[in-house]
C-alpha cells in the first residue's frame, strides 16, 4: 500500500524531487500586478488593489462586505471582538483545528470551550453542541451563562476543516435558540459551499485566510466577511488603528489594531483570485484520483459531505490505528513526499489544558488516525 501511494503521488506531480504538502501556484498576473504596485509606490495598507481585492472577494463569496486583514488570525480576532466577545467570557469551538482558532479567542481575553466534531467532516457537531448547551447553558439577565463556572457564553466559532463545510445551518439553528452569534472560521474553505452558499457567509461574521499554503495566497493575509454594513465599517476602522480620516492629523478615537492588508499583498491576492475557478477544478480532479486509490486499497478517505461542494484544500486519509498511521507517515516522508498528522488537539496544548470540554470522543479518535497528503494544484 505504501509503495503504491508513493508511486501515485509521483505520477500525479511528475517529479522525483521532494513533494510538499501544499505549495502556491503563480501562473497568472501575479508578477504584472506586483510590478504595478512597486511602480506606484503604494506598497503599504493604502492602494487600489486592497479595495479591488475586498470587492471581488465579497462578490465571490456572496456577502455585502469583505474587509482585508494582515492574516487570518487577525480576521478571527477582529470578528470575535465585533461580535461582542469580552474578557472573562467563553466561546464554544472545536479542538480539531489549527491553534489560531483558540488563540483568537484568547486575544479577546476570553477562553475557548471545546465541543466534539462530526467524524465524517471534522467540523463542530450540532448534536454535541446541542447536548452541551442543554446541560450547561442557562438564560440570565438577557444572556447565556455557563452553569458550571458562572461565565457568560458569548459566541460559537465552528471551523470548516480542510475545506469541508461543517453542518453550519444546523449549528445556526441551535445557536439562534440560545441567542449566540456565530463566527465562521472559514480559513481553509474559500470556494467551498454548503447547499450552494459559500462558507463564511452564513454567520454574523466569517474569516478567511490567504496564508502561503491556502488555495489562493497573498503571502500572508486574511479577510472578514459580513452582511452587516455597520460591522464592516467598524472592522475597517478598528483594523486601521481606529484612525479618524483627516488630511494631516493623527487622531484615534479608540483602541485600534494595525491589521490592514498591504496593497502589495492584495495585488498578489487579486491575481490569485482570477485563477480560483481553475484551481478548484484542478483540486477536485486530484481528490478524485486519491479517492479512487483509497477505495482500491480499502483505506478510508475524507470526502465532501452530501449537500456540500468542497474545495478539497487538504486531502486526508484515515488509517485503522495509530500504528498504521505512523508507518505511513514514516514511509512517505522518508521517500520525499510530505505528509503530516492532524494537529495536536487544542485541549492538549499547555495553554488550553484547563479549558472545559465535552469529552471529545470523536476528536480523540480521529487525531490518532488521520494523515494529510500532498494537495497542491497539479501543474
Amino acid at each position: 500500500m505504501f509503495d503504491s501511494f508513493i508511486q501515485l503521488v509521483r505520477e500525479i506531480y511528475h517529479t522525483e524531487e521532494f513533494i510538499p504538502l501544499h505549495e502556491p501556484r503563480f501562473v497568472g498576473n501575479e508578477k504584472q500586478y506586483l510590478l504595478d504596485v512597486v511602480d506606484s509606490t503604494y506598497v503599504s495598507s493604502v492602494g487600489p488593489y486592497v479595495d479591488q481585492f475586498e470587492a471581488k472577494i465579497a462578490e465571490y463569496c456572496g456577502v455585502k462586505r469583505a474587509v482585508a486583514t494582515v492574516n487570518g488570525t487577525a480576521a478571527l480576532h477582529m470578528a470575535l471582538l465585533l461580535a461582542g466577545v469580552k474578557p472573562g467570557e467563553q466561546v464554544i469551538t472545536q479542538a480539531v483545528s489549527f491553534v489560531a482558532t483558540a488563540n483568537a479567542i484568547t486575544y479577546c481575553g476570553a477562553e475557548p470551550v471545546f465541543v466534539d466534531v462530526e467524524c465524517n467532516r471534522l467540523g463542530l457537531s450540532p448534536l454535541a453542541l446541542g447536548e452541551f448547551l442543554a446541560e450547561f447553558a442557562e438564560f440570565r439577565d438577557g444572556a447565556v451563562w455557563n452553569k458550571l463556572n458562572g461565565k457568560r457564553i458569548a459566541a460559537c466559532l465552528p471551523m470548516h476543516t480542510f475545506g469541508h463545510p461543517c453542518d453550519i445551518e444546523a449549528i445556526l439553528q441551535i445557536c439562534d435558540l440560545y441567542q449566540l452569534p456565530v463566527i465562521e472560521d472559514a480559513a481553509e474553505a474559500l470556494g467551498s459551499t454548503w447547499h450552494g452558499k459559500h462558507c463564511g457567509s452564513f454567520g454574523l461574521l466569517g474569516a478567511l485566510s490567504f496564508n502561503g499554503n491556502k488555495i489562493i495566497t497573498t503571502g500572508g493575509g486574511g479577510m472578514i466577511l459580513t452582511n452587516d454594513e455597520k460591522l464592516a465599517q467598524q472592522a475597517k476602522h478598528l483594523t486601521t488603528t481606529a484612525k479618524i480620516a483627516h488630511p494631516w492629523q493623527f487622531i484615534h478615537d479608540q483602541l485600534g489594531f494595525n491589521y490592514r492588508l498591504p496593497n502589495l499583498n492584495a495585488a498578489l491576492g487579486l491575481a490569485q483570485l482570477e485563477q480560483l475557478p481553475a484551481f478548484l477544478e484542478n483540486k477536485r480532479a486530484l481528490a478524485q484520483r486519491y479517492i479512487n486509490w483509497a477505495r482500491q486499497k480499502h483505506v478510508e478517505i475524507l470526502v465532501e459531505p452530501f449537500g456540500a461542494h468542497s474545495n478539497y484544500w487538504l486531502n486526508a486519509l484515515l488509517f485503522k490505528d495509530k500504528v498504521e498511521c505512523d508507518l505511513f507517515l514514516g514511509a512517505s516522508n522518508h521517500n520525499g513526499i510530505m505528509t503530516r498528522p492532524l494537529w495536536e488537539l487544542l485541549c492538549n496544548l499547555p495553554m488550553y489544558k484547563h479549558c472545559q470540554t465535552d469529552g471529545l470522543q470523536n476528536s480523540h479518535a480521529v487525531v490518532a488516525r488521520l494523515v494529510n497528503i500532498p494537495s497542491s494544484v497539479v501543474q
Side-chain angles (χ1 to χ4, degrees):
M1 177 183 67
F2 299 163
D3 289 343
S4 68
F5 174 78
I6 292 165
Q7 181 181 359
L8 171 67
V9 176
R10 296 219 173 274
E11 288 176 358
I12 288 171
Y13 288 103
H14 314 293
T15 181
E16 294 299 317
E17 301 297 321
F18 172 75
I19 298 173
L21 192 68
H22 197 292
E23 62 181 352
R25 296 287 186 238
F26 303 121
V27 292
N29 291 315
E30 289 88 353
K31 290 182 180 179
Q32 177 187 335
Y33 292 172
L34 288 171
L35 286 173
D36 182 48
V37 173
V38 171
D39 289 342
S40 76
T41 73
Y42 284 92
V43 297
S44 194
S45 57
V46 174
Y49 281 106
V50 175
D51 297 334
Q52 292 179 53
F53 189 43
E54 289 176 335
K56 290 291 186 181
I57 286 288
E59 179 184 10
Y60 179 82
C61 293
V63 296
K64 292 181 180 178
R65 289 290 303 276
V67 178
T69 60
V70 70
N71 54 52
T73 308
L76 278 175
H77 179 204
M78 186 54 50
L80 288 162
L81 289 176
L82 292 169
V85 177
K86 296 179 177 60
E89 298 180 338
Q90 294 186 313
V91 175
I92 297 173
T93 191
Q94 56 196 72
V96 176
S97 186
F98 181 57
V99 70
T101 306
N103 285 352
I105 295 169
T106 308
Y107 295 165
C108 298
E111 68 178 23
V113 174
F114 298 115
V115 172
D116 211 359
V117 297
E118 293 185 285
C119 287
N120 66 329
R121 62 178 92 195
L122 305 187
L124 189 68
S125 164
L127 176 62
L129 175 63
E131 291 177 347
F132 178 86
L133 288 168
E135 180 176 358
F136 292 104
E138 64 176 358
F139 285 100
R140 180 162 38 91
D141 302 325
V144 180
W145 302 82
N146 190 326
K147 290 187 285 188
L148 181 69
N149 50 37
K151 296 182 179 181
R152 188 174 88 95
I153 301 174
C156 180
L157 178 59
M159 180 193 181
H160 302 289
T161 309
F162 303 143
H164 296 297
C166 65
D167 193 348
I168 187 64
E169 289 176 320
I171 290 169
L172 281 167
Q173 289 176 357
I174 294 167
C175 289
D176 284 347
L177 292 174
Y178 290 88
Q179 300 174 20
L180 290 175
V182 173
I183 300 99
E184 293 175 74
D185 185 343
E188 302 171 357
L190 178 64
S192 298
T193 60
W194 177 241
H195 294 157
K197 187 175 179 180
H198 280 269
C199 293
S201 69
F202 288 85
L204 178 66
L205 297 134
L208 302 175
S209 171
F210 306 115
N211 188 39
N213 65 350
K214 295 302 190 292
I215 191 165
I216 69 168
T217 184
T218 58
M223 193 76 75
I224 302 163
L225 306 177
T226 186
N227 285 308
D228 189 310
E229 182 64 34
K230 184 178 179 181
L231 289 179
Q233 291 174 0
Q234 290 176 325
K236 194 85 166 182
H237 182 59
L238 290 176
T239 56
T240 316
T241 66
K243 183 181 181 296
I244 297 174
H246 192 278
W248 58 82
Q249 290 184 337
F250 285 83
I251 300 174
H252 308 261
D253 60 358
Q254 56 186 299
L255 177 64
F257 301 86
N258 191 12
Y259 278 176
R260 296 293 292 136
L261 183 72
N263 197 42
L264 197 65
N265 299 80
L268 186 64
L270 192 63
Q272 287 269 286
L273 184 58
E274 292 170 353
Q275 301 166 77
L276 180 57
F279 286 173
L280 290 168
E281 184 178 351
N282 186 298
K283 287 174 72 63
R284 289 182 65 82
L286 170 63
Q288 190 59 56
R289 292 194 67 173
Y290 282 141
I291 291 167
N292 293 341
W293 174 87
R295 287 172 177 167
Q296 292 173 2
K297 300 300 178 181
H298 305 290
V299 176
E300 187 177 352
I301 187 168
L302 201 66
V303 299
E304 64 187 6
F306 180 77
H309 192 86
S310 298
N311 68 6
Y312 282 99
W313 172 58
L314 281 185
N315 291 283
L317 301 176
L318 290 147
F319 293 96
K320 64 182 181 180
D321 53 34
K322 189 176 186 304
V323 173
E324 189 175 60
C325 182
D326 287 345
L327 287 172
F328 181 86
L329 285 165
S332 53
N333 282 282
H334 178 74
N335 282 277
I337 295 175
M338 184 178 179
T339 60
R340 74 173 193 196
L342 185 63
W343 311 284
E344 182 66 42
L345 294 183
L346 298 182
C347 60
N348 290 339
L349 300 180
M351 59 282 200
Y352 297 123
K353 282 187 175 181
H354 69 284
C355 295
Q356 184 180 1
T357 79
D358 69 346
L360 305 174
Q361 180 178 354
N362 294 339
S363 304
H364 284 288
V366 76
V367 74
R369 300 174 52 225
L370 187 142
V371 174
N372 288 126
I373 56 180
S375 300
S376 307
V377 168
V378 179
Q379 291 182 305

